[in-house]
Amino acid sequence: MEDLVALTRRSAERGWTQRLGVALPSYADYIDYEDSASYIRSFQPMLVAGLLQTADYARALFRASPVRMPPHRVDELVSVRMQRQEVLSIDAPPRLCVIEGEAALRGQVGGAKVMRAQLEHLQQVAEHPSNEFQVLPFSAGAHAGVMGSFVLFSFPTPAFSDVVCVEHRTGTLYMETPEETDTYTLTFDSLRSSAVTGLVVRPGRGSRRLGRRRAG
């Protein structure tokens, strides 16, 4: 519990997860990138992006893990995920651009009630001037993101190169060479051209169109 109390008091300083020892090193590095980035681009075809998840949605995901965790560990992980989201509420938050696959919005993670609250939260987040939210509809067919999800971090100083993060079952792969980051930047730009802007999905009450307009 002392770790969780410390989390609520931390500053937006790199390295806080390593000092508290609440996560594996790869996850700690990932959170440090979130804290330091000035621009975060995320493509998530199957799940809501971690920075945008509600506590109930995150809890349902952790409970679904094939590696069984005791309830207190699930609570700890949910608390850390909610703590990560504070980066979006600071005085100068990073620019955030998220593209969600239609499957991520229609899936019943946690049930209809949890998903309804999750979608309402997404709508609220999308209204913030620093955030851009788009949906890649099923009708997009074959697209640049068929290989799966990724997050691209850019930083406010040229001393730090862009970083691409690809999560897998046992950790996170980080890519920093210009060839790698340029490829993922091109991929993200292609996905933006195929995505739509806006969110009008209502689980349990039918659904309407996913976007108001196609992004330019």
Side-chain angles (χ1 to χ4, degrees):
M1 290 303 296
E2 291 179 0
D3 283 345
L4 296 181
V5 172
L7 280 173
T8 65
R9 297 174 178 172
R10 74 168 179 89
S11 63
E13 177 183 348
R14 296 192 66 162
W16 61 273
T17 49
Q18 290 95 327
R19 292 195 302 275
L20 294 175
V22 297
L24 295 174
S26 62
Y27 188 39
D29 291 340
Y30 184 92
I31 297 174
D32 282 344
Y33 288 137
E34 284 183 334
D35 281 344
S36 304
S38 58
Y39 186 21
I40 302 173
R41 285 162 284 182
S42 178
F43 172 58
Q44 302 296 330
M46 299 302 296
L47 298 173
V48 172
L51 283 177
L52 306 182
Q53 293 175 7
T54 65
D56 287 338
Y57 182 99
R59 183 171 288 105
L61 289 180
F62 288 127
R63 287 175 174 170
S65 171
V67 180
R68 295 185 61 83
M69 292 181 285
H72 76 273
R73 181 55 177 163
V74 172
D75 290 341
E76 289 174 351
L77 292 172
V78 171
S79 294
V80 171
R81 184 151 297 185
M82 296 302 100
Q83 184 72 21
R84 284 170 49 194
Q85 297 178 8
E86 289 190 2
V87 72
L88 301 181
S89 302
I90 61 178
D91 291 339
R95 178 185 174 193
L96 178 66
C97 184
V98 175
I99 301 174
E100 294 282 354
E102 183 174 348
L105 308 182
R106 295 195 185 277
Q108 294 288 294
V109 175
K113 183 178 179 180
V114 169
M115 280 305 300
R116 187 174 298 114
Q118 176 64 74
L119 294 177
E120 290 172 353
H121 177 65
L122 289 177
Q123 290 177 315
Q124 294 173 359
V125 172
E127 293 173 357
H128 192 282
S130 295
N131 302 333
E132 182 176 356
F133 186 90
Q134 294 177 266
V135 178
L136 188 69
F138 291 140
S139 60
H143 54 76
V146 293
M147 297 301 292
S149 63
F150 63 90
V151 181
L152 179 59
F153 295 106
S154 298
F155 304 95
T157 171
F160 292 94
S161 61
D162 288 356
V163 177
V164 177
C165 299
V166 178
E167 293 186 78
H168 52 86
R169 175 59 63 185
T170 58
T172 304
L173 173 65
Y174 299 106
M175 293 169 278
E176 302 182 26
T177 68
E179 293 79 8
E180 292 166 330
T181 58
D182 287 351
T183 296
Y184 277 90
T185 296
L186 181 63
T187 299
F188 195 84
D189 289 343
S190 177
L191 289 167
R192 290 190 67 184
S193 69
S194 300
V196 294
T197 300
L199 173 66
V200 204
V201 180
R202 297 180 178 178
R205 297 171 55 187
S207 61
R208 294 183 285 166
R209 59 193 174 90
L210 287 167
R212 296 186 295 274
R213 62 177 177 81
R214 186 164 297 279

